[in-house]
Amino acid sequence: MINYFRLWYRYFQVEVLSIPSRVIALIFFIVIGALPFFTQSPQVLRILILAGIYAIYAVSWDLLAGHTGQISLGHGLFFAVTGYIAALLNLHLGFGPWLTIPIGALCAVVVGLIVGIPALRLRGFYLALVTLAFPIILTGIIFIYPDFTGGELGLFGISRLSPSRLTDTYIVYVVMLFSVFIMYKLTDATSKFVRTGLVFQAIREDEISARKSGINTVKYKLLAYSVSAFFAGIAGGMYAHFLKIMGPSTLELTFSFQAVLWAIFGGMGTIYGAVVGVYTLFPFMEVLRFFPLGDEIRGVLFASVLIIILLFMPEGIGVWVRDKIEITCPRCKEINIARRKRCRICNAQLRLDDQSS
Amino acid sequence: MGTPLLRVEDVGKNFGGLSALSNITFDIGDDEMVGLIGPNGAGKSTLIRIITSVLKPTYGTVKFKSRDITGLPISDIVNMGIASTAQIVKPFRRLPVISNAMVSCLCPRIRRTGDWVKSVELRARDALEFCGIADLALESASVLSHGDLKRLELARAIATEPELLLLDEPFGGLNQAETTLIAKSLRRLHKGGRFGRLHSEGPSMLIVEHKLADLMKIVDRVIVIDLGRIIAVGTPEEIVRNREVVKAYIGKEEGQLVS
Ligand SMILES: Nc1ncnc2c1ncn2[C@@H]1O[C@H](COP(=O)(O)OP(=O)(O)O)[C@@H](O)[C@H]1O
Ligand SMILES: [Mg+2]
């Protein structure tokens, strides 16, 4: 038993404690999880909950676009489909969130496959344009049947996720941890057990080459669409049950662009980047709301900060920080703390211009 | 004689008004190394791209083991046992070299062979070893020289353990020593056997190459095309003496094809 524990700790030490960015991720998740112990102000909890939901949403975009190369500019579609289906199931059949959210997410998978089919033939800009169209179609359908879908005003009176905002926070927190972890594993090209990450990235790099390696890229692209739509759906379902209202605003272009923005701001194609993007930009935006500024000034302020940061950190803030604290050994490619001079594994010199050693 | 491994039957390809290939017919036997030569723009690459289904022929059929494979998905063709390298290398740039080769080991053809989950890395490494780039395994493919990328392209192809290997200018970007080495390796691969974890059934090959001296040493038969038509077929000895081939290559009747 003790031995087993020691083994586990050793694994933890190698896989997490010796890699700076993972230590930071660990601390970050602990801090987020512990925050409600210090303050339970509804505003703070609200930001935490929404950030958790948006983190799943942004990461699901990154899985599809950043890793598999299927740029989607209508990602809000999957979010909204689940939100609406969860709302309708809840309002008409009285299903609780534990049922409505998974069912809704599975419907999002079906929608994901429907969207994925044109994607099989299209690439780049053309694909992006087509994905742009799908939310518009759903918006149209919603406006055509306002009695059933709530039309422009949306659906009201959805039952809440859980009895209190505090439990809401923890439900979203746990779901977020699981979702992000699963998507991280599915996209990890170095994983020895799940090989999808490697195939996804191969498809992003060169689809024809992937096919010439004997990979059925159609299957994998549809898998990427399904997984991405599923998790975006989970986020959308929790969103509907948390806000207790589901309207067409999530189908607007701006909401789909939010996912792109968060992921690129943090660092595209990294998963953690999308999380970093959400947890920095979203609270920042919410905090700006407390100041008595006009919407326009707030927008200008926000855009300026965005431009300045991306100017200095073109690969995203997450990647920028990572490069500051970590260095990859030129010989064995193991990750080291940036201030080391020699690799912790193979003892190779980490920087060529370093004269001191 | 039984059915050939590959049969190209009256294949033609037009790009708009340009006829890149017309009435191409030839076989590749079960245990054969064939050279495909011709001046620039003759249609060699186009022919390879048609056999591997990257392009659809305007007319004609391609048969592999007497099965019509024209227009099948590329991945199906690879999984049936036809691997190819492209003239213009297309690696997975942002992935490490070893991962580039690992992708090939994830195809159903290799997975069928059993213990693949654990052996993917080892298999990929053996493919790199075979092509002489194992020392670059952990580097990103984006930092490789053109010659190394050519060899990576070859490693990715042989990692699928093909029965027919189509190589488009495999010696491009390599110096003379490296060329000789790869040429020898190809000959060894053709004989079959085990190369570490990699199993070779001794694939037949169709090799497009401009370095004629090196090519002629390893192939059994040469097909010459010019302006999209086959102008000569024969053993290397016959081809270097063929008037028409010499003319197509150097523009005049007199001269030496291989010095
Ligand atoms: N995708 C394409 N579109 C239009 N023309 C092409 C295309 N690919 C090749 N060609 C033309 O077909 C002819 C044969 O090209 P190619 O097969 O690359 O020749 P080779 O490999 O023998 O040098 C050339 O005239 C080339 O310009
Ligand atoms: Mg060519």
Side-chain angles (χ1 to χ4, degrees):
Chain A
M1 189 63 211
I2 296 282
N3 261 336
Y4 181 76
F5 183 77
R6 206 174 279 156
L7 201 71
W8 194 85
Y9 178 71
R10 178 86 197 115
Y11 179 78
F12 180 72
Q13 215 174 13
V14 171
E15 287 291 312
V16 179
L17 291 187
S18 48
I19 299 174
S21 59
R22 294 202 183 155
V23 174
I24 291 187
L26 185 72
I27 294 171
F28 169 74
F29 284 126
I30 290 174
V31 168
I32 301 277
L35 210 56
F37 287 108
F38 302 105
T39 167
Q40 295 191 1
S41 102
Q43 282 93 343
V44 171
L45 293 189
R46 181 193 142 87
I47 291 178
L48 274 184
I49 291 169
L50 284 177
I53 289 171
Y54 292 152
I56 301 175
Y57 172 58
V59 169
S60 77
W61 183 85
D62 197 38
L63 182 144
L64 186 61
H67 282 86
T68 321
Q70 309 300 303
I71 298 297
S72 154
L73 296 183
H75 214 61
L77 177 72
F78 306 129
F79 192 93
V81 162
T82 312
Y84 268 103
I85 286 180
L88 290 171
L89 286 176
N90 182 257
L91 291 175
H92 293 290
L93 301 175
F95 290 179
W98 297 110
L99 216 49
T100 60
I101 297 174
I103 294 175
L106 290 179
C107 294
V109 170
V110 175
V111 173
L113 292 175
I114 294 171
V115 175
I117 287 165
L120 296 174
R121 305 189 132 266
L122 298 172
R123 247 175 285 268
F125 279 117
Y126 301 95
L127 174 61
L129 270 180
V130 168
T131 57
L132 214 54
F134 282 97
I136 298 173
I137 296 174
L138 186 61
T139 314
I141 294 174
I142 285 166
F143 285 179
I144 292 172
Y145 302 104
D147 298 337
F148 187 59
T149 61
E152 215 165 328
L153 296 174
L155 294 163
F156 297 90
I158 305 165
S159 69
R160 41 188 317 166
L161 201 54
S162 72
S164 81
R165 190 164 277 206
L166 188 64
T167 43
D168 278 356
T169 313
Y170 278 105
I171 289 170
V172 170
Y173 177 68
V174 170
V175 173
M176 188 270 288
L177 282 186
F178 267 106
S179 307
V180 170
F181 182 74
I182 290 171
M183 286 189 274
Y184 180 74
K185 276 293 163 197
L186 282 178
T187 54
D188 181 6
T190 60
S191 166
K192 293 217 174 8
F193 303 104
V194 192
R195 300 290 190 180
T196 47
L198 181 54
V199 176
F200 285 165
Q201 296 194 19
I203 291 174
R204 175 193 67 197
E205 293 299 301
D206 198 306
E207 198 177 331
I208 299 285
S209 289
R211 286 190 202 157
K212 285 178 72 179
S213 298
I215 302 294
N216 184 345
T217 54
V218 169
K219 206 175 84 182
Y220 279 94
K221 271 159 74 173
L222 289 181
L223 178 70
Y225 270 98
S226 312
V227 173
S228 179
F230 179 81
F231 284 107
I234 294 281
M238 292 198 301
Y239 177 85
H241 279 284
F242 169 65
L243 292 183
K244 295 171 292 212
I245 166 174
M246 188 67 209
S249 66
T250 48
L251 283 167
E252 282 167 13
L253 198 57
T254 44
F255 188 67
S256 289
F257 270 24
Q258 283 291 339
V260 184
L261 191 69
W262 283 321
I264 290 180
F265 184 78
M268 198 171 152
T270 59
I271 298 294
Y272 67 84
V275 178
V276 172
V278 171
Y279 278 93
T280 44
L281 283 188
F282 179 66
F284 173 65
M285 260 181 333
E286 291 294 300
V287 168
L288 275 188
R289 281 198 203 201
F290 287 121
F291 297 101
L293 303 166
D295 263 348
E296 292 80 9
I297 298 191
R298 215 175 285 137
V300 169
L301 210 65
F302 178 73
S304 315
V305 168
L306 206 67
I307 289 170
I308 289 169
I309 289 186
L310 282 180
L311 212 57
F312 289 102
M313 309 167 186
E315 284 185 279
I317 193 167
V319 176
W320 185 83
V321 170
R322 187 183 175 152
D323 285 348
K324 287 281 171 246
I325 57 172
E326 284 182 0
I327 182 164
T328 307
C329 170
R331 187 157 81 193
C332 67
K333 311 291 170 196
E334 288 291 336
I335 294 164
N336 286 274
I337 303 173
R339 61 184 160 75
R340 283 188 81 103
K341 291 204 164 56
R342 287 177 171 274
C343 174
R344 69 194 163 95
I345 305 287
C346 69
N347 204 33
Q349 201 169 313
L350 288 174
R351 286 175 203 78
L352 289 178
D353 52 356
D354 196 356
Q355 298 297 318
S356 58
S357 50
Chain B
M1 210 183 125
T3 52
L5 186 66
L6 180 84
R7 160 160 273 170
V8 175
E9 258 175 31
D10 191 32
V11 160
K13 177 77 190 173
N14 301 333
F15 290 113
L18 176 90
S19 160
L21 288 174
S22 37
N23 307 100
I24 300 283
T25 301
F26 67 90
D27 291 346
I28 295 180
D30 251 333
D31 187 28
E32 229 188 346
M33 286 188 79
V34 181
L36 177 64
I37 64 171
N40 270 328
K44 307 177 297 291
S45 300
T46 305
L47 182 54
I48 287 197
R49 278 145 58 95
I50 284 174
I51 297 172
T52 53
S53 205
V54 177
L55 287 176
K56 274 205 174 70
T58 310
Y59 56 87
T61 54
V62 180
K63 285 182 177 158
F64 183 62
K65 293 178 176 171
S66 62
R67 188 180 153 194
D68 189 351
I69 58 164
T70 326
L72 285 185
I74 302 172
S75 56
D76 287 3
I77 286 179
V78 174
N79 285 304
M80 287 168 76
I82 304 180
S84 63
T85 69
Q87 179 180 358
I88 297 159
V89 290
K90 297 243 165 60
F92 307 119
R93 287 204 183 271
R94 280 183 285 173
L95 295 179
V97 169
I98 181 96
S99 302
N100 270 260
M102 273 160 59
V103 175
S104 297
C105 302
L106 294 174
C107 72
R109 180 179 173 79
I110 297 300
R111 282 197 289 189
R112 271 202 293 275
T113 63
D115 62 345
W116 63 280
V117 176
K118 276 172 253 159
S119 66
V120 166
E121 263 96 358
L122 298 169
R123 232 179 234 278
R125 195 168 277 273
D126 289 334
L128 297 182
E129 193 90 56
F130 182 84
C131 300
I133 49 171
D135 53 328
L136 298 170
L138 297 175
E139 300 296 334
S140 160
S142 55
V143 304
L144 262 56
S145 70
H146 184 241
D148 291 336
L149 286 174
K150 272 277 166 192
R151 290 193 276 183
L152 174 58
E153 189 87 6
L154 179 62
R156 281 182 30 220
I158 64 171
T160 63
E161 301 188 352
E163 287 168 60
L164 174 65
L165 192 52
L166 311 167
L167 304 174
D168 201 343
E169 308 199 5
F171 305 151
L174 301 183
N175 63 29
Q176 191 52 51
E178 291 166 337
T179 301
T180 313
L181 213 63
I182 289 289
K184 273 195 187 139
S185 302
L186 289 178
R187 201 63 230 186
R188 260 192 322 134
L189 186 74
H190 177 64
K191 287 215 183 79
R194 291 200 80 85
F195 303 94
R197 296 212 163 219
L198 216 59
H199 182 73
S200 166
E201 293 173 19
S204 294
M205 296 188 197
L206 179 69
I207 308 173
V208 173
E209 190 45 70
H210 281 302
K211 293 182 178 169
L212 294 182
D214 297 289
L215 180 72
M216 294 301 189
K217 276 184 215 148
I218 58 170
V219 295
D220 311 316
R221 194 156 63 98
V222 180
I223 298 170
V224 189
I225 61 175
D226 187 23
L227 303 172
R229 287 170 192 282
I230 296 185
I231 58 166
V233 180
T235 62
E237 295 77 36
E238 289 165 8
I239 292 299
V240 291
R241 281 191 222 99
N242 187 312
R243 277 261 159 93
E244 221 173 311
V245 176
V246 175
K247 190 177 163 203
Y249 251 87
I250 38 188
K252 52 183 196 286
E253 303 246 349
E254 306 304 313
Q256 200 79 34
L257 200 57
V258 179
S259 49

